[in-house]
Amino acid sequence: MSAVELNDVVKRYGALEVVHSVNLNVERGEFVVLVGPSGCGKSTTLRMVAGLEEISGGTVSIGGRLVNRVAPKDRDVAMVFQNYALYPHLNVAENIAFGLRVRREKKDVIEAAVKEAAAILDLTPYLARKPADLSGGQRQRVAMGRAIVRKPQVFLFDEPLSNLDAKLRTQMRAEIKRLHKRMGVTSIYVTHDQIEAMTLADRIVVMNGGRVEQVGTPMELFLKPANAFVASFLGSPPMNLLRATVVCVDGEPMARIDAADPEAALLRLPKAIGTSLRADQRILVGLRPEHVAVGNDASGDVQEIAATVDLVEPLGSEALLHTRISGQPIVAKIETPADVEALSQIGRLQIPVGRLHVFDAESGKAVNGHA
Amino acid sequence: MASFNLYSRGDRIFGYANATLIGLFVLSTLYPFIYILSVSISSGAAVTSGQVVLLPKDLTLAAYEFVLSDRLFWIAYGNTFIYTFGGTAVSLAIMIPGAYALSRARLRGRKILNLMVAFTLWFNAGMIPFFLNMRDLGLLDSRFGIIIGFACNAFNVILLRNFFEAVPKSFEEAAKMDGASEFQLLWKVFIPLSKPAIITVALFCIVSRWNSYFWAMVLLRGEEKIPLQLYLKRIIVDLTANDEFASSLLTSRYSFETVTAAIMIASIIPVLLIYPSIQKYFNRGITLGGVKE
Ligand SMILES: Nc1ncnc2c1ncn2[C@@H]1O[C@H](COP(=O)(O)OP(=O)(O)OP(=O)(O)O)[C@@H](O)[C@H]1O
Ligand SMILES: [Mg+2]
């Protein structure tokens, strides 16, 4: 039995359908992250699970119970909001206790629960303070405290870290992960930050335009994106996608990179994929920046291709090389060499054939070999 | 070493002009207070002969002795307290839930209901129909009538409603997920968050109740129910025509003027006492009502 189950869930505002038939099974204790660009329907989907948004179609079950018509407070879920929604007139202890108090728990039960939550979240010294006198990170922890005292079946998070600065965000991210390990509560977490998604998730749900594009573990999505959208959404910088046409040269599948001039570059594609391609098919060739190499440090089945360097961005131990192949941009992420200046003179890139992804240009779907 | 000045000459002149104008304004509002206070503690003879302009002359508490020993003064004072604080409590108990309901998006017919409330801001039936209405409801010459008849004020309801509407949605959603009932939501979230607006409205109610005079005069008959303002009117109108009072003037140190001044001072003391402690909310509340999330 899944902890949370969404079957063909639809959300409509009037005639406008913003979430189209979402299916998702979240297992008990799992940490699932919904990720996608702004406006893709992540929050709406989460809020339908919470009960804050009416479900226009399909079913949502929590712990095996159909909850479409169940009030938020009776769904046994707790939510952490983006703006924390801490009550300014209550101190930290009262904020954390609020959910128990309105449910008329016994005083000593409440006290013990607040104490425990405060200890877990390092909030003990701040219990008497008002939210206005806390730092952003502390407020964030109070918001989580309010959720955990209720000991719900499911935690819901809607971009809980997006109001924090970059450093604090990294820190709180680790804290959320630690908390999840310790408590093991099923969690659904919404973010538009793919790094948060990659680091926190047991499984990631990539959404786009109100649809689920792919569900899988972070590495599954990273290594085997089901379509060009997922490929370009995860990873930083994102996967390079080159527009190209399939041609067959000496029985080998090749991609002719679209170019303004007739000197179009040819890229050899993995043999295994060849059987799934047809000549003249329009495709996108995908290549992760970290898989592009310069110089002779690449190994395996590598092909060299002419490229011009536009810009070098040293990031410290790594550098981003913005280049062009047949006029199309391609970014390489490489180890910063001793001589950074020399990078701008590089005329060739090494591309490992086995690392190439191929997507049908029309549908965006990944083309996989039939091994 | 050259010092530089943050303010230009024009700025400074503007500043002085401002200070002068504000000073004049303060004086013009303060003067009547001081004058009435001085009259109330001067002798009747000094006041009648025009010797009191700013400071008291020929100090005496005779006027206060006269007023404070009048049984009707204390009855009127008590009535005013009941009308003011009882009335304000009843007003808030009606207006807060009403404004809250009007602020809810899922209230059916919300637009129409809000329009009906706002309508009374621009148009009302007028004095006679209101009087007839009170009469038909059996609310003439009744303390309850005074309290309930003026309990709701559209302006205050709208002010509260706007304030409730400006409470960020996530507070409500968080409370709902936490398990708060609709009543708990109002009592534990919306009311505490709207404290400045509620105190402002309470103050509006208190001030208007304390000073209310006209409707009490129209609706009340018996002496036992009149508020302080009406008592003051009776003193002014009735004492002038009262022979007994006229003859007592010959042997006492109070006069008609000093007695009315003493009543006025007695009637503003409670307002003077509570105003400073709630003034900060008063200033904040009025502007906050118009602020959106
Ligand atoms: N009340 C509403 N009426 C009409 N459309 C709405 C309403 N609320 C949300 N939408 C639309 O639904 C879509 C999904 O919104 P949602 O808030 O779920 O996006 P999101 O993925 O959470 O985006 P973000 O990352 O910006 O928070 C958006 O296109 C939005 O414009
Ligand atoms: Mg959102």
Side-chain angles (χ1 to χ4, degrees), chain A residues 3-322:
Chain A
V4 180
E5 206 176 315
L6 281 73
N7 281 314
D8 292 323
V9 168
V10 171
K11 178 67 194 181
R12 277 182 291 265
Y13 289 108
L16 181 70
E17 189 168 305
V18 296
V19 172
H20 319 285
S21 194
V22 166
N23 286 289
L24 179 65
N25 280 342
V26 181
E27 298 304 325
R28 198 161 290 274
E30 205 179 9
F31 200 112
V32 167
V33 175
L34 303 184
V35 67
S38 185
C40 72
K42 310 175 295 280
S43 296
T44 307
T45 305
L46 189 78
R47 290 163 57 82
M48 284 192 281
V49 175
L52 295 172
E53 216 63 78
E54 210 171 297
I55 300 162
S56 314
T59 60
V60 173
S61 307
I62 296 172
R65 180 170 67 124
L66 183 73
V67 295
N68 281 44
R69 305 232 144 263
V70 176
K73 69 183 165 83
D74 300 322
R75 292 191 181 194
D76 203 9
V77 299
M79 183 151 164
V80 177
F81 290 83
Q82 180 173 355
N83 64 1
Y84 318 143
L86 301 180
Y87 307 117
H89 58 286
L90 301 180
N91 67 24
V92 170
E94 292 164 336
N95 261 289
I96 294 176
F98 188 87
L100 300 175
R101 207 163 276 169
V102 296
R103 282 165 202 267
R104 308 207 188 291
E105 289 283 353
K106 290 215 184 65
K107 261 224 166 87
D108 49 329
V109 174
I110 295 179
E111 222 163 272
V114 169
K115 233 182 190 172
E116 189 192 343
I120 293 174
L121 293 163
D122 286 329
L123 284 171
T124 311
Y126 310 109
L127 283 174
R129 286 208 204 166
K130 290 276 168 70
D133 305 328
L134 296 176
S135 72
Q138 289 161 348
R139 282 180 210 175
Q140 173 56 51
R141 290 209 293 269
V142 177
M144 294 206 289
R146 209 165 58 177
I148 68 177
V149 278
R150 297 226 341 253
K151 301 201 166 48
Q153 270 190 57
V154 183
F155 283 144
L156 305 174
F157 300 87
D158 192 354
E159 309 215 18
L161 305 184
S162 58
N163 284 355
L164 303 177
D165 62 52
K167 196 173 158 208
L168 205 52
R169 203 177 309 159
T170 317
Q171 206 177 316
M172 287 307 297
R173 198 170 71 202
E175 206 155 319
I176 290 178
K177 185 150 193 174
R178 186 174 58 84
L179 201 67
H180 179 251
K181 281 230 169 81
R182 173 169 177 171
M183 307 191 47
V185 178
T186 313
S187 304
I188 306 180
Y189 185 107
V190 163
T191 178
H192 60 252
D193 179 347
Q194 48 108 0
I195 297 180
E196 250 169 56
M198 294 293 281
T199 50
L200 282 172
D202 293 326
R203 276 193 307 153
I204 294 179
V205 178
V206 180
M207 291 187 70
N208 185 30
R211 269 174 233 287
V212 172
E213 295 280 355
Q214 192 175 3
V215 182
T217 66
M219 285 321 282
E220 271 168 19
L221 299 199
F222 189 75
L223 296 173
K224 286 196 172 145
N227 52 51
F229 178 82
V230 175
S232 63
F233 192 78
L234 297 178
S236 93
M239 184 186 278
N240 296 297
L241 291 172
L242 297 168
R243 278 170 284 114
T245 308
V246 175
V247 293
C248 194
V249 179
D250 300 336
E252 285 212 53
M254 306 275 267
R256 190 176 62 229
I257 309 297
D258 288 6
D261 54 274
E263 289 290 301
L266 281 177
L267 264 183
R268 199 146 40 82
L269 297 175
K271 273 221 170 67
I273 296 179
T275 52
S276 313
L277 294 169
R278 53 190 161 68
D280 295 332
Q281 185 178 352
R282 302 282 301 143
I283 56 169
L284 295 168
V285 179
L287 179 62
R288 296 235 173 249
E290 46 276 40
H291 295 151
V292 184
V294 299
N296 294 320
D297 50 354
S299 55
D301 185 4
V302 170
Q303 56 191 319
E304 236 182 19
I305 197 161
T308 53
V309 176
D310 286 344
L311 179 69
V312 182
E313 287 182 316
L315 305 175
S317 61
E318 287 165 330
L320 294 183
L321 213 54
H322 296 263

Side-chain angles (χ1 to χ4, degrees), chain B residues 274-287:
Chain B
I274 58 170
Y275 192 76
S277 61
I278 47 181
Q279 188 188 20
K280 59 177 183 189
Y281 295 104
F282 195 49
N283 293 339
R284 221 182 328 155
I286 296 174
T287 46

Side-chain angles (χ1 to χ4, degrees), chain A residues 87 89 98, chain B residues 96 99-101 103-104 160-173 175-176 181-198:
Chain A
Y87 307 117
H89 58 286
F98 188 87
Chain B
I96 289 174
Y100 178 70
S103 74
R104 309 281 73 199
L160 287 173
R161 185 204 66 201
N162 287 351
F163 214 90
F164 290 148
E165 278 174 354
V167 169
K169 196 113 181 79
S170 52
F171 282 122
E172 179 182 343
E173 291 179 341
K176 275 210 177 126
S181 64
E182 199 71 36
F183 180 75
Q184 286 173 319
L185 193 59
L186 172 62
W187 191 250
K188 299 198 169 203
V189 179
F190 277 82
I191 289 182
L193 287 176
S194 308
K195 206 164 110 191
I198 289 170

